[in-house]
Amino acid sequence: MKSPNLIPVAVVSMLLSLGSPGAAQKKPLTVEDYGNWETLGAANLSPDGEWLAYRITRNNEENELRIISLVDRSSWIIPYGAAPQFSTDSRWLACRLEPSEEEKAKLEKEKKPVRNSMCLVQFASGDTLVFADVSSFDFSEDGAFLAMEKYRSEEVQKEGLGGDLVVRDLERGIDNSFGNIASFAWSDEGHLLAMTLSTSGGSGNGVRLYDPASGSLRTLDSKGVRYRGLSWREDANDLAVLRAEPDTLYADTAQVVLAWRGLTAGSRETLVYDPAQDPSFPDGMRIVQYRTPTWSDDGATVFFGIRARKPVTEREVTVRDSSSVEVWHAGDVRVIPHQKKIDKELREENSLTAWHLESGRLVRLGDELTEEVRLPKGQRFALGVDETPYEAYDRFFPGPQDLYRIDVANGEKTLIRERVGSFYLSAAGRYVMYLEDEQFWTYDLESGDRVQISGDVPTPLVNMEDDHPRPERTPYGVAGWTAADSSVIVYDRYDLWELRSDGSGARRLTRGADEEIGHQYVRLDPDEEFIDLSSPVYLSVFGRYSKSMGYARVLRGEAPERLIWMDKRVDRLQKAKDASVYLYRVQAFDDSPDYFVGDTSLRSARQVTETNPFQEDYAWGRAELIELDNPVSEARLQGVLIYPAGYEPGKQYPMVVYIYERLSGSLHVYRGPSERSAYNPTIFSSQGYFVFMPDITFQSREPGSSALRCVETAVERVLDAGVVDPERIGLMGHSWGGYETTFIATHSDLFAAAVAGAPLTNLVSMYGMIFWNTGIPETGHYEYGQERMEVPLWEDRDAYLQNSPVMAFDGLRTPLLMAFGDEDGSVDWHQGIEAYNFARRLDKEFVLLVYRGENHSNRKKPNQVDYHHRQLEWFNYYLRGEKARTWITEGVSWIDQEARRPSK
């Protein structure tokens, strides 16, 4: 892509030249070239649509924030800038300044804290200011002031004490500093700043309100205890906060709720809810500190959480109490590892409660029947969720729940429906919609009426293509509700449907099925509460089988007007908050991502960024979409075939096949070269390989054999073209793709070498394991999840055995490289040890790489670089006949491995 030249403005650094040398011979990519490659980050439009800020990260870690004027095309580059935030008046931008990798390494070596700074840009003058040691920052709602929180030491944070806060008057350039600030929050209107103070002695603790325009600083409450949970009401100057009320009778701390209304007026209304002064407050309970109070929309109610108190108890500690034993009981609803993972959540369980300010009355909404409570818009009713009747089922599978309507005024509960799976609250709070028998139903929270609303839709609204053996199909999705909850917009496979909330009818809004083009609603306003069909509605459009993408617009219910339609990936559409300025991103396999800016029609959009312009100097591959036969099901399959850089017709090349599930949707994904990227198709292409990524579908209880048949059929389709050497084909995949790779390597002679990262190798032993990253047992995941085994092990032992790669290792004739992190929390790394020991016993060509301290994928740079190069060395030896590295043919002894490691 080409873009207009940008006018450089020297502010923080000189602009990097966006030009490129003249035409020259295309050169091959080398490792030395990778460092300069850029990755385009998320973009932010200023509210007035005149400025664009976006981040660029590089393989050499010389990252930067770029800022472009969309009016005169002037530009800034802020080295190591990140997290840009515009003021609401678009006059200022603040961003985080991160230390360079060298600075980080130096600080870590010196055992000093690694801290960010903040950069402030004024667009009118072009001036920039840097503020050191800023941990967070936030503009006031009117954009006139900026609050900057300074870093606190670990000791201060641990004790819950406050630190320094600087409030800058942006127009006058004056800073006011405040000490001992534990938390702060700007009001939703104007520029009132609420702050809680926490001092070492406690004498200055309290809540203060600061008006930076007048300089007024008021103490709203002060007591020698801790305050927390500042909460402004949306679009109002009403404030709530929690104040601790410790006592010696309990091991925990209770809270008092403070609320103020009309804080901008000369007088203010102060309200206090103290459980100790309310005889109706539930006995043995307290208000908890870890649930921030929230306001009702009308300001009449404040919601907070309560839970049972923990009394102070004294007991004799015995030798047995100091044992490290864990008791795992077969009747545990949640297994102990899962309980550990959600320890904080379990310790902070509480019941939502409503404090009605006018009457002072408390109404408990959550209890043993409705453990979870959700507040719809308006807060007239709440939705209670009860999962306890299905705990036995929920031990292994995502279970249903019973839904209750809760009257916020008095706490009265009414059963809505039992055994509900997916459900949705409406935008205005009148309905709850749920799925039952693959149809949508609504329940009117006001009238109690229940009605099916999707019966007039002739196409399925649940995903019929999903081949997971789940007990209930999942819906294609819900776009949102229209004004006053009159209707809801849902998806089928291709189109949007408007369903009347009262069940009076349905209509199709798009015509995507006719051309097999999917449509998705684009939410351009992050504060949007409902979909306004009387205004232009933007849709992303995607050719399910063409892979073309773009955007369409619907005007007042008319047929969609297609605005952009490209044989590329088009995404990230956004709109400036206060202007008709639109931004979107375009990329393709051979076209580095860039942003385009235009008006409401999008057609006249112009390119405003240019990433990796030097790519044109290098030989680059191209991606082609091919149709595939499906030997497993009726589903249509496709594949992405990436040609070698500098491809010469008539020549046969080696090929590596990368597999997972459906990968054809990645046709237009741009992948820059990087040593830190495993299985990178761009790098394989640059080294003279075809790269093939076929779609795979599955039959229940046949995950391995399904993958085998799909992949072999797909590869034969490519071989028919005569461009790939059939004796030089490699196979690779990670996680589920690693499982498929290992299974295929043990059952097929089609591949000359394979690389499997973190694969399942034994479905029998892994079935009884824990998914350690979440703490959840693998049993349910195996039956309805990715493994698709449908039934437990003992109901079809043969299927589990036949689909376990290690059970066929005697048939392994494909040299196999396997990699694991020894802290893998997704696939137990002992699955790799089983494969290693089986391979040793059978004298197979097999190497196991074990990366210390790594989880399911390598995160440490040295390990990423190492794995990247070993993949290439493995395939280059077996597929291209290059000289074998010693580690491939002989291995590396422990002593030699330790000798290579840098001394600490």
Side-chain angles (χ1 to χ4, degrees), residues 6-309:
L6 304 178
I7 301 174
V9 176
V11 179
V12 179
S13 73
M14 293 183 64
L15 255 179
L16 178 70
S17 171
L18 295 183
S20 61
Q25 179 98 23
K26 301 288 185 183
K27 53 188 178 182
L29 274 172
T30 66
V31 173
E32 290 72 24
D33 299 316
Y34 299 171
N36 292 327
W37 238 265
E38 301 167 343
T39 298
L40 182 67
N44 295 58
L45 282 169
S46 61
D48 64 5
E50 294 189 3
W51 296 93
L52 171 67
Y54 62 97
R55 197 177 191 216
I56 291 289
T57 58
R58 292 190 178 89
N59 293 335
N60 61 16
E61 295 166 340
E62 294 179 3
N63 306 327
E64 62 195 28
L65 181 71
R66 293 182 181 177
I67 307 169
I68 300 174
S69 168
L70 300 178
V71 177
D72 63 13
R73 301 178 188 174
S74 56
S75 305
W76 280 265
I77 282 184
I78 301 179
Y80 304 104
Q85 183 183 142
F86 287 100
S87 60
T88 53
D89 58 10
S90 302
R91 298 176 60 198
W92 305 84
L93 178 140
C95 69
R96 185 173 70 234
L97 289 182
E98 301 172 343
S100 67
E101 290 302 307
E102 293 77 11
E103 291 171 327
K104 287 180 186 176
K106 183 175 181 294
L107 290 170
E108 289 169 356
K109 185 175 181 180
E110 296 172 353
K111 298 188 176 183
K112 294 180 180 178
V114 177
R115 293 179 171 177
N116 299 320
S117 299
M118 190 205 77
C119 179
L120 179 65
V121 179
Q122 183 181 28
F123 294 121
S125 66
D127 293 337
T128 62
L129 291 172
V130 174
F131 298 82
D133 296 335
V134 174
S135 62
S136 67
F137 52 87
D138 193 24
F139 286 103
S140 62
E141 182 61 27
D142 60 7
F145 303 93
L146 177 66
M148 296 171 280
E149 185 177 24
K150 295 285 192 169
Y151 280 95
R152 287 176 269 177
S153 68
E154 289 186 12
E155 294 76 16
V156 168
Q157 292 183 61
K158 186 176 181 181
E159 294 179 19
L161 302 178
D164 293 335
L165 181 73
V166 178
V167 179
R168 184 173 183 83
D169 183 323
L170 295 171
E171 183 65 32
R172 296 192 294 165
I174 297 174
D175 295 336
N176 281 307
S177 299
F178 302 90
N180 303 309
I181 304 302
S183 63
F184 69 94
W186 290 108
S187 60
D188 233 23
E189 290 188 342
H191 49 248
L192 287 180
L193 182 68
M195 302 177 287
T196 63
L197 281 74
S198 181
T199 66
S200 58
S203 59
N205 291 6
V207 181
R208 290 185 181 176
L209 187 69
Y210 178 53
D211 183 346
S214 65
S216 167
L217 181 65
R218 290 185 282 170
T219 298
L220 300 180
D221 195 76
S222 181
K223 202 172 182 180
V225 294
R226 187 170 179 185
Y227 295 77
R228 69 187 86 205
L230 286 171
S231 177
W232 289 97
R233 179 160 76 96
E234 185 176 359
D235 299 328
N237 285 315
D238 299 344
L239 178 69
V241 72
L242 300 174
R243 183 183 71 197
E245 291 293 328
D247 58 53
T248 57
L249 297 178
Y250 296 94
D252 50 35
T253 302
Q255 307 290 314
V256 166
V257 185
L258 308 177
W260 297 273
R261 294 196 290 198
L263 282 172
T264 53
S267 61
R268 64 178 185 267
E269 180 185 9
T270 304
L271 302 106
V272 180
Y273 182 81
D274 184 349
Q277 305 302 317
D278 182 2
S280 68
F281 188 79
D283 289 338
M285 303 198 78
R286 67 182 176 103
I287 298 173
V288 299
Q289 70 274 21
Y290 35 75
R291 185 169 195 154
T292 299
T294 56
W295 289 85
S296 63
D297 295 338
D298 61 5
T301 309
V302 173
F303 300 93
F304 48 80
I306 65 173
R307 72 169 294 161
R309 300 216 66 169

Side-chain angles (χ1 to χ4, degrees), residues 647 650-653 690 716-726:
Y647 168 72
K651 179 180 176 182
Q652 283 194 329
Y653 291 82
F690 272 95
E716 293 293 347
R717 168 73 175 81
V718 175
L719 290 177
D720 288 343
V723 296
V724 170
D725 185 342

Side-chain angles (χ1 to χ4, degrees), residues 811-832:
L812 177 65
R813 287 179 290 277
T814 304
L816 178 60
L817 173 65
M818 189 174 289
F820 268 98
D822 67 358
E823 294 181 7
D824 194 324
S826 296
V827 178
D828 193 307
W829 80 284
H830 295 92
Q831 292 278 293

Side-chain angles (χ1 to χ4, degrees), residues 829-849:
W829 80 284
H830 295 92
Q831 292 278 293
I833 294 176
E834 287 190 43
Y836 169 71
N837 280 324
F838 282 31
R840 288 184 72 249
R841 182 66 180 84
L842 292 162
D843 196 25
K844 299 296 182 179
E845 290 184 84
F846 179 94
V847 175
L848 176 66
L849 306 176

